[in-house]
Amino acid sequence: MLKIDNIHARAGEKEILKGISLTVNAGEVHAIMGPNGSGKSTLAQVIAGHPGFEVTSGSITYGGDDLLDMDPEVRAQKGVFLAFQYPVEIPGVTNAYFLRSAYNEIRKANGQEDIDPMDFLDLMEKKIKLVDMDPAMLHRSVNAGFSGGEKKRNEILQMAVLEPKLAILDETDSGLDIDALRVVSGGVNALKRADNATIVVTHYQRLLNYIVPDFVHVLAGGKIVKSGGKELALELEAKGYDWLVDAA
Amino acid sequence: MTAPVAKYADAFAALDTTGAPGWLADLRSAALAEFNAVGFPTTRNEDWHFTSVTPIAERSFRSAKPSAAPTLADVLAATVGDPSWPRAVFVNGRFEASLSSLKTLGAGVRVGTLADTLKDSPDFVAAHLGKLATFDKQAFTAFNTAFAQDGLVVRIAHGVKADAPLHVIHIADAQAAGCMLHPRLLVVAEPLSEFGIVESFVSLKASEYFTNAVAEITIGNGARVHHYKVQRESEQAFHVGTVQVAQGRDSAFHSFSYAAGAALSRTNIYSRLGGEAAEVRLNGLYMVDGSQHADHQTFVEHIAPHCASRELYKGILDGHAHGVFNGKVYVDPEAQKTDGKQSNHALLLSGTARVDSKPQLEIFADDVKCTHGSTVGRLDDIALFYMKSRGIGAESARALLTYAFAAEVLETVELDALREGLEKIAFERFTQTEQ
């Protein structure tokens, strides 16, 4: 599904990703871990097309196509979704309107008609239960005045409605209490299918108790310094990152 | 620049002043003399530095003549708000009883035209007219005071809470072309009363005319007044409007100024916080395009201690439009514990639009909290990326974020029908689709 080959990227003059290669197949869950500043959030944002980063070499193919050649909205229309670490507030635009616009633009890009507004309401009512959100939140402005936990739930609600093929969760667990973490993880797990894939970027092993990865990759200094199965996360929990970072 | 005003001497002489009391005739003459003495302001005047009124000064506007009234349907279609609100309609500056509906105001709210109130309660008018909006060195206020033929007087009795806001509709039709309109509004909210008023300035036909409005609002102790100004004049018209407020202790004044019309507009909102613990909120939104010019000047005078002022103005400018925001705050030595906050944010949608933002703080008390912030910018790249990352195309994302920029301040409009109407206008303007 996704093939990252020796990608280098920088923000301004600063090189952040220094040669990352990673293959993600349908049905897999990959965890990207690493200390602060290792480049894990940058990797997530580069896949989604964040304008603040410049890819200087390497390639990313998605479903056989050149992902880096696509605008962010085209990536999204083809099924890439990034749950933001810091979701953006959009005052004046309701969640419901925002979601319906996104949903219909994706349908349009895939040659489908707009959804009937009543059908969309039904869809949202069903999806909002997944993240245990108050339906009244649908009629509030996107993320405006939401608590940290509400914003993260709202990200997962968007993911539930848009049903991406490749979901990237950028530190979705940061700042969540255990109850919220359970809800958010439960939502992600419920969306898991054989034909989609998930990349979970996290600083803490804790999340991986709830979203169990098939593969764990450790980033340090803009490179993957170790890859392994889910047991690698437990090892990191016990030993910290230093032994890997020092070895790199 | 005194010469251009002499041309109004004949129009002044021709005014119908039948029945006006002597003090009013004196006030008008004094106002005309002041207008002649100071002349139209030039950009050398600090208060008019970014706004040249030459297009107004070089023209000769004439007094409007009575004309046939438009239909009520036309009036309502041109305005934003709830049609069931009580309303006072002025057509080309003259009160039109057949289009107005003042019966539903409820007990304790008295509304009358300036002419009628002069007959019923001359002492009341004498006690208030021209007392807040003084015309010393103020050419436009002097011009209005000299020429105001019609207007509205509103009195809210002690402790009365009005059920619905009063909608004052100033409508200009095709007959307004070449005319000057000098509407006057006098509001006195007695202690502990609550009242809302919407002043709409709209046109039925694109034409060149000049509106020069003056409002005086006295807010008694513990009273609360909401004032909404909706300026949607013809894009060929000129508009100068001054709202002058005096607040008693524990009173509140909430103002919202929406400016999207006129070739050249200037709105002054001035409030004097004369009693302790009074609160004022001045918000506004200007949206201009083409070669439009929209200027707002606010002035908050903190005279008494423990008062709070909040200001949020936003501007969205496209084409070659020019926006100006000048927020003045004065804190008297006596006004300790003043809490003032002011922000002005402008969004430029084209490389040729321009905005000048000038906060002006004069603080003479030492125990105060006063902040101001001002930004001029383009849409936030990260917010755009957020929308695109959900599949929303670049153009739609820009449109929605532009609307969101406006909506953030429109959210503070507390009258639902007005807020929803203005949101709809902004939404359709920027997304070019119906909401």
PDB file of all heavy atoms in Angstrom, chain B residues 10-32:
ATOM      1  N   ASP B  10     -27.148  78.069   1.153  1.00  0.00           N
ATOM      2  CA  ASP B  10     -28.491  78.186   0.569  1.00  0.00           C
ATOM      3  C   ASP B  10     -29.394  77.054   1.043  1.00  0.00           C
ATOM      4  O   ASP B  10     -30.569  77.251   1.364  1.00  0.00           O
ATOM      5  CB  ASP B  10     -28.421  78.193  -0.957  1.00  0.00           C
ATOM      6  CG  ASP B  10     -27.795  79.491  -1.471  1.00  0.00           C
ATOM      7  OD1 ASP B  10     -27.672  80.439  -0.654  1.00  0.00           O
ATOM      8  OD2 ASP B  10     -27.437  79.542  -2.665  1.00  0.00           O
ATOM      9  N   ALA B  11     -28.815  75.843   1.042  1.00  0.00           N
ATOM     10  CA  ALA B  11     -29.603  74.689   1.482  1.00  0.00           C
ATOM     11  C   ALA B  11     -30.033  74.876   2.937  1.00  0.00           C
ATOM     12  O   ALA B  11     -31.152  74.524   3.316  1.00  0.00           O
ATOM     13  CB  ALA B  11     -28.777  73.407   1.330  1.00  0.00           C
ATOM     14  N   PHE B  12     -29.154  75.458   3.742  1.00  0.00           N
ATOM     15  CA  PHE B  12     -29.482  75.689   5.148  1.00  0.00           C
ATOM     16  C   PHE B  12     -30.632  76.691   5.266  1.00  0.00           C
ATOM     17  O   PHE B  12     -31.586  76.480   6.006  1.00  0.00           O
ATOM     18  CB  PHE B  12     -28.245  76.194   5.905  1.00  0.00           C
ATOM     19  CG  PHE B  12     -28.485  76.398   7.374  1.00  0.00           C
ATOM     20  CD1 PHE B  12     -28.534  75.307   8.233  1.00  0.00           C
ATOM     21  CD2 PHE B  12     -28.665  77.667   7.904  1.00  0.00           C
ATOM     22  CE1 PHE B  12     -28.763  75.482   9.596  1.00  0.00           C
ATOM     23  CE2 PHE B  12     -28.897  77.849   9.270  1.00  0.00           C
ATOM     24  CZ  PHE B  12     -28.944  76.755  10.112  1.00  0.00           C
ATOM     25  N   ALA B  13     -30.532  77.755   4.465  1.00  0.00           N
ATOM     26  CA  ALA B  13     -31.564  78.802   4.501  1.00  0.00           C
ATOM     27  C   ALA B  13     -32.913  78.247   4.069  1.00  0.00           C
ATOM     28  O   ALA B  13     -33.964  78.694   4.529  1.00  0.00           O
ATOM     29  CB  ALA B  13     -31.147  79.964   3.607  1.00  0.00           C
ATOM     30  N   ALA B  14     -32.876  77.228   3.196  1.00  0.00           N
ATOM     31  CA  ALA B  14     -34.117  76.676   2.651  1.00  0.00           C
ATOM     32  C   ALA B  14     -34.762  75.631   3.562  1.00  0.00           C
ATOM     33  O   ALA B  14     -35.844  75.134   3.275  1.00  0.00           O
ATOM     34  CB  ALA B  14     -33.838  76.060   1.272  1.00  0.00           C
ATOM     35  N   LEU B  15     -34.079  75.256   4.656  1.00  0.00           N
ATOM     36  CA  LEU B  15     -34.642  74.225   5.538  1.00  0.00           C
ATOM     37  C   LEU B  15     -35.966  74.691   6.118  1.00  0.00           C
ATOM     38  O   LEU B  15     -36.124  75.849   6.488  1.00  0.00           O
ATOM     39  CB  LEU B  15     -33.674  73.921   6.694  1.00  0.00           C
ATOM     40  CG  LEU B  15     -32.391  73.174   6.366  1.00  0.00           C
ATOM     41  CD1 LEU B  15     -31.546  73.034   7.627  1.00  0.00           C
ATOM     42  CD2 LEU B  15     -32.687  71.808   5.770  1.00  0.00           C
ATOM     43  N   ASP B  16     -36.888  73.763   6.249  1.00  0.00           N
ATOM     44  CA  ASP B  16     -38.177  74.080   6.858  1.00  0.00           C
ATOM     45  C   ASP B  16     -38.037  73.961   8.368  1.00  0.00           C
ATOM     46  O   ASP B  16     -37.917  72.862   8.897  1.00  0.00           O
ATOM     47  CB  ASP B  16     -39.234  73.106   6.317  1.00  0.00           C
ATOM     48  CG  ASP B  16     -40.573  73.327   6.989  1.00  0.00           C
ATOM     49  OD1 ASP B  16     -40.726  74.361   7.689  1.00  0.00           O
ATOM     50  OD2 ASP B  16     -41.452  72.464   6.821  1.00  0.00           O
ATOM     51  N   THR B  17     -38.033  75.074   9.050  1.00  0.00           N
ATOM     52  CA  THR B  17     -37.816  75.042  10.498  1.00  0.00           C
ATOM     53  C   THR B  17     -39.063  75.485  11.243  1.00  0.00           C
ATOM     54  O   THR B  17     -39.002  75.890  12.402  1.00  0.00           O
ATOM     55  CB  THR B  17     -36.635  75.956  10.885  1.00  0.00           C
ATOM     56  OG1 THR B  17     -36.891  77.255  10.354  1.00  0.00           O
ATOM     57  CG2 THR B  17     -35.326  75.438  10.347  1.00  0.00           C
ATOM     58  N   THR B  18     -40.206  75.382  10.554  1.00  0.00           N
ATOM     59  CA  THR B  18     -41.463  75.798  11.172  1.00  0.00           C
ATOM     60  C   THR B  18     -41.665  75.094  12.510  1.00  0.00           C
ATOM     61  O   THR B  18     -41.533  73.875  12.590  1.00  0.00           O
ATOM     62  CB  THR B  18     -42.651  75.414  10.244  1.00  0.00           C
ATOM     63  OG1 THR B  18     -42.226  75.587   8.897  1.00  0.00           O
ATOM     64  CG2 THR B  18     -43.863  76.258  10.530  1.00  0.00           C
ATOM     65  N   GLY B  19     -41.966  75.835  13.507  1.00  0.00           N
ATOM     66  CA  GLY B  19     -42.297  75.238  14.806  1.00  0.00           C
ATOM     67  C   GLY B  19     -41.107  74.860  15.661  1.00  0.00           C
ATOM     68  O   GLY B  19     -41.290  74.391  16.781  1.00  0.00           O
ATOM     69  N   ALA B  20     -39.915  75.013  15.128  1.00  0.00           N
ATOM     70  CA  ALA B  20     -38.741  74.645  15.930  1.00  0.00           C
ATOM     71  C   ALA B  20     -38.552  75.672  17.042  1.00  0.00           C
ATOM     72  O   ALA B  20     -38.664  76.875  16.796  1.00  0.00           O
ATOM     73  CB  ALA B  20     -37.504  74.575  15.060  1.00  0.00           C
ATOM     74  N   PRO B  21     -38.273  75.210  18.250  1.00  0.00           N
ATOM     75  CA  PRO B  21     -38.062  76.175  19.336  1.00  0.00           C
ATOM     76  C   PRO B  21     -36.794  76.995  19.113  1.00  0.00           C
ATOM     77  O   PRO B  21     -35.916  76.591  18.343  1.00  0.00           O
ATOM     78  CB  PRO B  21     -37.936  75.291  20.586  1.00  0.00           C
ATOM     79  CG  PRO B  21     -37.611  73.920  20.081  1.00  0.00           C
ATOM     80  CD  PRO B  21     -38.156  73.819  18.703  1.00  0.00           C
ATOM     81  N   GLY B  22     -36.741  78.109  19.799  1.00  0.00           N
ATOM     82  CA  GLY B  22     -35.617  79.026  19.614  1.00  0.00           C
ATOM     83  C   GLY B  22     -34.273  78.386  19.904  1.00  0.00           C
ATOM     84  O   GLY B  22     -33.300  78.596  19.172  1.00  0.00           O
ATOM     85  N   TRP B  23     -34.216  77.568  20.959  1.00  0.00           N
ATOM     86  CA  TRP B  23     -32.919  76.975  21.315  1.00  0.00           C
ATOM     87  C   TRP B  23     -32.403  76.081  20.186  1.00  0.00           C
ATOM     88  O   TRP B  23     -31.212  75.979  19.948  1.00  0.00           O
ATOM     89  CB  TRP B  23     -33.000  76.199  22.634  1.00  0.00           C
ATOM     90  CG  TRP B  23     -33.905  74.976  22.599  1.00  0.00           C
ATOM     91  CD1 TRP B  23     -35.212  74.915  22.990  1.00  0.00           C
ATOM     92  CD2 TRP B  23     -33.566  73.665  22.118  1.00  0.00           C
ATOM     93  NE1 TRP B  23     -35.720  73.667  22.790  1.00  0.00           N
ATOM     94  CE2 TRP B  23     -34.718  72.862  22.255  1.00  0.00           C
ATOM     95  CE3 TRP B  23     -32.410  73.089  21.593  1.00  0.00           C
ATOM     96  CZ2 TRP B  23     -34.759  71.524  21.878  1.00  0.00           C
ATOM     97  CZ3 TRP B  23     -32.444  71.746  21.213  1.00  0.00           C
ATOM     98  CH2 TRP B  23     -33.608  70.967  21.363  1.00  0.00           C
ATOM     99  N   LEU B  24     -33.360  75.420  19.479  1.00  0.00           N
ATOM    100  CA  LEU B  24     -32.943  74.516  18.411  1.00  0.00           C
ATOM    101  C   LEU B  24     -32.423  75.312  17.211  1.00  0.00           C
ATOM    102  O   LEU B  24     -31.420  74.947  16.588  1.00  0.00           O
ATOM    103  CB  LEU B  24     -34.113  73.611  18.006  1.00  0.00           C
ATOM    104  CG  LEU B  24     -33.789  72.552  16.960  1.00  0.00           C
ATOM    105  CD1 LEU B  24     -32.647  71.656  17.408  1.00  0.00           C
ATOM    106  CD2 LEU B  24     -35.021  71.704  16.650  1.00  0.00           C
ATOM    107  N   ALA B  25     -33.119  76.426  16.927  1.00  0.00           N
ATOM    108  CA  ALA B  25     -32.661  77.293  15.836  1.00  0.00           C
ATOM    109  C   ALA B  25     -31.254  77.808  16.137  1.00  0.00           C
ATOM    110  O   ALA B  25     -30.377  77.837  15.263  1.00  0.00           O
ATOM    111  CB  ALA B  25     -33.638  78.451  15.634  1.00  0.00           C
ATOM    112  N   ASP B  26     -31.037  78.135  17.410  1.00  0.00           N
ATOM    113  CA  ASP B  26     -29.709  78.616  17.811  1.00  0.00           C
ATOM    114  C   ASP B  26     -28.657  77.525  17.671  1.00  0.00           C
ATOM    115  O   ASP B  26     -27.539  77.762  17.213  1.00  0.00           O
ATOM    116  CB  ASP B  26     -29.725  79.093  19.274  1.00  0.00           C
ATOM    117  CG  ASP B  26     -30.571  80.345  19.455  1.00  0.00           C
ATOM    118  OD1 ASP B  26     -30.925  80.955  18.408  1.00  0.00           O
ATOM    119  OD2 ASP B  26     -30.894  80.700  20.604  1.00  0.00           O
ATOM    120  N   LEU B  27     -29.047  76.308  18.082  1.00  0.00           N
ATOM    121  CA  LEU B  27     -28.115  75.183  18.004  1.00  0.00           C
ATOM    122  C   LEU B  27     -27.723  74.924  16.546  1.00  0.00           C
ATOM    123  O   LEU B  27     -26.544  74.723  16.218  1.00  0.00           O
ATOM    124  CB  LEU B  27     -28.769  73.923  18.606  1.00  0.00           C
ATOM    125  CG  LEU B  27     -27.907  72.662  18.671  1.00  0.00           C
ATOM    126  CD1 LEU B  27     -26.848  72.789  19.767  1.00  0.00           C
ATOM    127  CD2 LEU B  27     -28.772  71.423  18.944  1.00  0.00           C
ATOM    128  N   ARG B  28     -28.738  74.968  15.663  1.00  0.00           N
ATOM    129  CA  ARG B  28     -28.462  74.716  14.251  1.00  0.00           C
ATOM    130  C   ARG B  28     -27.558  75.794  13.661  1.00  0.00           C
ATOM    131  O   ARG B  28     -26.631  75.504  12.904  1.00  0.00           O
ATOM    132  CB  ARG B  28     -29.777  74.639  13.463  1.00  0.00           C
ATOM    133  CG  ARG B  28     -30.492  73.323  13.676  1.00  0.00           C
ATOM    134  CD  ARG B  28     -31.857  73.323  13.014  1.00  0.00           C
ATOM    135  NE  ARG B  28     -32.454  71.998  13.091  1.00  0.00           N
ATOM    136  CZ  ARG B  28     -33.759  71.771  13.001  1.00  0.00           C
ATOM    137  NH1 ARG B  28     -34.606  72.780  12.828  1.00  0.00           N
ATOM    138  NH2 ARG B  28     -34.225  70.546  13.065  1.00  0.00           N
ATOM    139  N   SER B  29     -27.839  77.034  14.016  1.00  0.00           N
ATOM    140  CA  SER B  29     -27.009  78.126  13.492  1.00  0.00           C
ATOM    141  C   SER B  29     -25.573  78.015  13.984  1.00  0.00           C
ATOM    142  O   SER B  29     -24.620  78.208  13.220  1.00  0.00           O
ATOM    143  CB  SER B  29     -27.572  79.483  13.922  1.00  0.00           C
ATOM    144  OG  SER B  29     -28.858  79.631  13.388  1.00  0.00           O
ATOM    145  N   ALA B  30     -25.451  77.655  15.276  1.00  0.00           N
ATOM    146  CA  ALA B  30     -24.107  77.506  15.840  1.00  0.00           C
ATOM    147  C   ALA B  30     -23.378  76.354  15.146  1.00  0.00           C
ATOM    148  O   ALA B  30     -22.171  76.422  14.875  1.00  0.00           O
ATOM    149  CB  ALA B  30     -24.195  77.259  17.342  1.00  0.00           C
ATOM    150  N   ALA B  31     -24.133  75.278  14.853  1.00  0.00           N
ATOM    151  CA  ALA B  31     -23.531  74.121  14.193  1.00  0.00           C
ATOM    152  C   ALA B  31     -23.069  74.490  12.786  1.00  0.00           C
ATOM    153  O   ALA B  31     -21.970  74.117  12.354  1.00  0.00           O
ATOM    154  CB  ALA B  31     -24.535  72.970  14.146  1.00  0.00           C
ATOM    155  N   LEU B  32     -23.914  75.264  12.071  1.00  0.00           N
ATOM    156  CA  LEU B  32     -23.524  75.675  10.720  1.00  0.00           C
ATOM    157  C   LEU B  32     -22.274  76.557  10.771  1.00  0.00           C
ATOM    158  O   LEU B  32     -21.360  76.397   9.952  1.00  0.00           O
ATOM    159  CB  LEU B  32     -24.666  76.432  10.027  1.00  0.00           C
ATOM    160  CG  LEU B  32     -24.329  76.797   8.576  1.00  0.00           C
ATOM    161  CD1 LEU B  32     -24.436  75.573   7.666  1.00  0.00           C
ATOM    162  CD2 LEU B  32     -25.201  77.925   8.066  1.00  0.00           C
TER     163      LEU B  32
END
